[in-house]
Amino acid sequence: MEFTENLSTNRKSAEDRAEVLANPGFGDFFTDHTAVIDWSANGEGHGGTWHDARIEPYGPIAMDPAASVLHYGQEIFEGLKAYRHEDGSVWTFRPHANAARLNKSAARLALPQLDEEAFVESLRRLVATDVDWVPTGDGEALYLRPFMIATEAFLGVRAAREVSYRVIASPAGNYFGGELKPVAIWVSQNYARAGRGGTGSAKCGGNYAASLVAQLEAEDNGCKQVLFLDPFNDNAVEELGGMNVFFVTKNNKLVTPALTGTILEGVTRSSVIQLAKDRGIEVEERRITLDEWREGIASGDITEVFACGTAAVITPIGVLKNGTELIGDENAKAGEVTMSIREELLGIQRGTIEDRHNWLERLA
């Protein structure tokens, strides 16, 4: 797919960019450009054509007030990072896995499929254009946010016949900020993240919107994230608001909730599973309940708990709170297995550890 370029005449100055990169935060600042590809249906069927691939200045999206995304939430997104290596080159991690997941989400939300190579090329073109925005600090990266929205103006309830795929980029520091310490997690007892047959396995905004009221509850109780359970399945552990969960056992097993259609299939999740298997650690993908978590911590059968996702990579979990009890230790230290896998994963992403599985792809 050929991209045209309409480059910004109002790029941030080197001084302004340096000021942002000195303390980028997460998702607070954006680069000078965006990648865009439009899609139009061929009549009333399912077929259509992607067209007008381009790099253009970052800025507001002109959209009709009747655009489908504004009324029916027909949209999906992805998240991945671009890393600056020691030689100055810029690489991303498993972009084809993100492209495949985008298409799975698109199928669930009645949006068109995007060729995986076009997905990767959109990242490459945007990063090459805004390469000076890729930070170099410890734990920092350029966060890439591809997304697809239904732009057709109509109020009938059907799949949109006009769609826009876009990529924006944001320099990012450590997700939870500062020194990495085990975080406190709030157990949601009033809200569910997803239901059977719903959109839990798709990466769409509605899932995250539904989690925000529970996230506010978590923050009110001094917690960084919220844990969702399946109340109709013995309070089986699902996932955090935006991260998958892992348990390390005393007999050297790694346990994580099985993908049941209500849990997002994380790219970091599958990478952690592979790295654990490389070490000879037995991995179990199965149902694990809140009771098992509680009893495992009390008995010592569960020795470490951590969460993983693109934004925070791997974050140790210290304690669960639900308003009446604490599961774990508020003063716990990060576990050895947790930190070892985290350092290996970060090393691969940053090019300091061998990429045995060919997960990296150069962008600039």
Side-chain angles (χ1 to χ4, degrees):
M1 184 172 289
E2 294 294 326
F3 281 73
T4 60
E5 290 187 348
N6 172 27
L7 300 185
S8 174
T9 57
N10 191 33
R11 296 191 189 202
K12 291 281 195 305
S13 67
E15 292 77 14
D16 288 343
R17 190 171 57 247
E19 183 178 351
V20 169
L21 294 180
N23 184 24
F26 189 89
D28 297 322
F29 304 96
F30 300 92
T31 68
D32 296 304
H33 295 90
T34 179
V36 187
I37 314 174
D38 295 321
W39 180 87
S40 301
N42 299 331
E44 297 183 2
H46 293 293
T49 304
W50 290 101
H51 56 90
D52 295 331
R54 60 197 184 275
I55 299 295
E56 64 183 29
Y58 179 94
I61 301 173
M63 188 179 299
D64 194 288
S68 178
V69 65
L70 302 177
H71 299 270
Y72 305 121
Q74 196 183 5
E75 66 82 45
I76 56 175
F77 67 96
E78 275 299 320
L80 62 167
K81 290 178 176 178
Y83 303 88
R84 179 85 69 179
H85 286 191
E86 291 180 355
D87 64 358
S89 60
V90 179
W91 301 70
T92 192
F93 182 74
R94 303 188 67 183
H96 286 276
N98 289 95
R101 189 173 64 179
L102 181 87
N103 280 331
K104 288 181 181 178
S105 298
R108 182 62 183 85
L109 273 293
L111 288 163
Q113 302 287 294
L114 177 67
D115 180 77
E116 288 188 13
E117 293 302 329
F119 176 95
V120 175
E121 183 64 14
S122 70
L123 308 180
R124 184 174 290 111
R125 293 297 296 268
L126 179 59
V127 170
T129 303
D130 286 342
V131 69
D132 290 339
W133 282 92
V134 182
T136 58
D138 183 42
E140 296 178 347
L142 184 67
Y143 183 79
L144 304 173
R145 171 52 63 87
F147 63 100
M148 192 184 297
I149 56 176
T151 54
E152 183 183 2
F154 79 108
L155 296 180
V157 182
R158 60 164 172 77
R161 295 171 187 153
E162 294 176 8
V163 169
S164 182
Y165 163 82
R166 295 171 176 260
V167 188
I168 56 177
S170 173
N174 292 311
Y175 188 72
F176 289 121
E179 181 184 353
L180 184 68
K181 296 179 179 179
V183 296
I185 303 296
W186 179 254
V187 182
S188 178
Q189 300 180 83
N190 301 312
Y191 305 102
R193 177 185 170 276
R196 299 296 171 88
T199 59
S201 62
K203 197 168 179 67
C204 60
N207 292 343
Y208 293 79
S211 76
L212 295 181
V213 63
Q215 179 66 30
L216 290 175
E217 191 176 71
E219 292 170 3
D220 288 341
N221 286 276
C223 295
K224 293 284 190 180
Q225 265 281 359
V226 59
L227 172 71
F228 291 101
L229 307 171
D230 182 351
F232 302 105
N233 192 20
D234 297 327
N235 281 329
V237 174
E238 296 261 276
E239 62 175 277
L240 306 187
M243 305 176 77
N244 296 115
V245 182
F246 281 88
F247 304 86
V248 181
T249 70
K250 69 178 183 181
N251 57 352
N252 198 37
K253 288 184 180 179
L254 194 63
V255 182
T256 191
L259 301 175
T260 59
T262 58
I263 297 174
L264 185 67
E265 185 177 352
V267 175
T268 308
R269 174 187 182 275
S270 65
S271 304
V272 167
I273 289 173
Q274 183 61 61
L275 293 180
K277 290 180 177 178
D278 291 348
R279 298 172 176 216
I281 298 175
E282 182 180 348
V283 179
E284 292 183 355
E285 297 181 67
R286 61 172 175 82
R287 187 184 76 153
I288 182 167
T289 66
L290 183 62
D291 285 342
E292 183 178 352
W293 190 335
R294 179 188 295 109
E295 294 164 6
I297 292 293
S299 68
D301 287 340
I302 294 175
T303 58
E304 303 175 33
V305 187
F306 64 87
C308 70
T310 298
V313 189
I314 290 178
T315 300
I317 295 174
V319 65
L320 287 181
K321 299 180 179 181
N322 63 12
T324 60
E325 67 172 335
L326 299 179
I327 300 174
D329 182 358
E330 289 185 288
N331 299 311
K333 295 183 179 180
E336 182 179 338
V337 175
T338 298
M339 295 306 293
S340 178
I341 293 178
R342 182 178 191 273
E343 291 307 312
E344 182 178 8
L345 183 58
L346 284 171
I348 293 170
Q349 292 170 338
R350 296 195 166 279
T352 59
I353 291 178
E354 181 186 359
D355 177 21
R356 299 185 305 275
H357 298 286
N358 296 316
W359 283 337
L360 296 178
E361 187 144 351
R362 185 167 181 170
L363 298 180

